[in-house]
Amino acid sequence: MEPDHAMMTTPETARAVAALLGPSFLVMGLSHLLQPEMWRRFFMELAERGEVGVLWRTALFELWPAVLILAFHWDWRWPGALITLYGVALSIKVSLSMLFPQIGLWSLRRAETTGAPGFVLAGAVLLGLGGLATARGYGVL
């Protein structure tokens, strides 16, 4: 018998989650690639706000995709597993940031040391994930 969680994730729900998240990942990825300095400054300003800045970053950008993927995209078949793996990793990051805000603050402060290249790398990852999710969501893959 399959676990209850598998019953929540059907090919249709996984495709819907991918269709929903794919375009937003594409836009975020392109934004990181084209405007890395803007993102660096934004993260540094959030870091100046301390724990409140951690909460803003987590709630605005990370919590909702993590919850959607964990709840409705529990697909471990290739290439959908990449989206699920991203959701698991993001949920761990969200949990650590919300339960131990100093870890989230450390992450925000890294923007100063990694600089714009760190955001370019993150943009490339988001762009790739966005392309995959969009293709899966709209039936190309």
Side-chain angles (χ1 to χ4, degrees):
M1 181 174 221
E2 291 186 36
D4 288 342
H5 193 283
M7 293 172 21
M8 291 173 47
T9 300
T10 65
E12 292 80 20
T13 58
R15 184 167 298 176
V17 168
L20 176 68
L21 294 178
S24 72
F25 288 167
L26 286 172
V27 170
M28 291 292 285
L30 282 171
S31 178
H32 276 64
L33 285 171
L34 298 174
Q35 301 296 331
E37 183 58 28
M38 174 187 73
W39 282 99
R40 186 189 69 77
R41 286 191 317 269
F42 176 61
F43 271 48
M44 288 175 57
E45 286 185 26
L46 287 176
E48 288 176 16
R49 299 189 73 182
E51 294 173 351
V52 172
V54 171
L55 187 59
W56 271 105
R57 186 224 28 217
T58 304
L60 282 174
F61 301 115
E62 300 169 340
L63 181 61
W64 66 273
V67 168
L68 278 174
I69 293 169
L70 283 187
F72 301 112
H73 196 287
W74 202 250
D75 179 4
W76 290 102
R77 294 167 293 163
W78 185 262
L82 293 173
I83 297 168
T84 304
L85 188 60
Y86 177 76
V88 169
L90 194 56
S91 349
I92 291 168
K93 182 181 179 188
V94 164
S95 298
L96 288 173
S97 289
M98 293 185 91
L99 297 173
F100 306 101
Q102 288 306 313
I103 292 173
L105 192 54
W106 170 81
S107 173
L108 283 174
R109 288 183 177 145
R110 285 188 56 227
E112 189 171 3
T113 56
T114 60
F119 289 97
V120 170
L121 177 60
V125 169
L126 279 170
L127 196 58
L129 193 61
L132 169 65
T134 301
R136 293 210 20 103
Y138 292 95
V140 176
L141 288 177

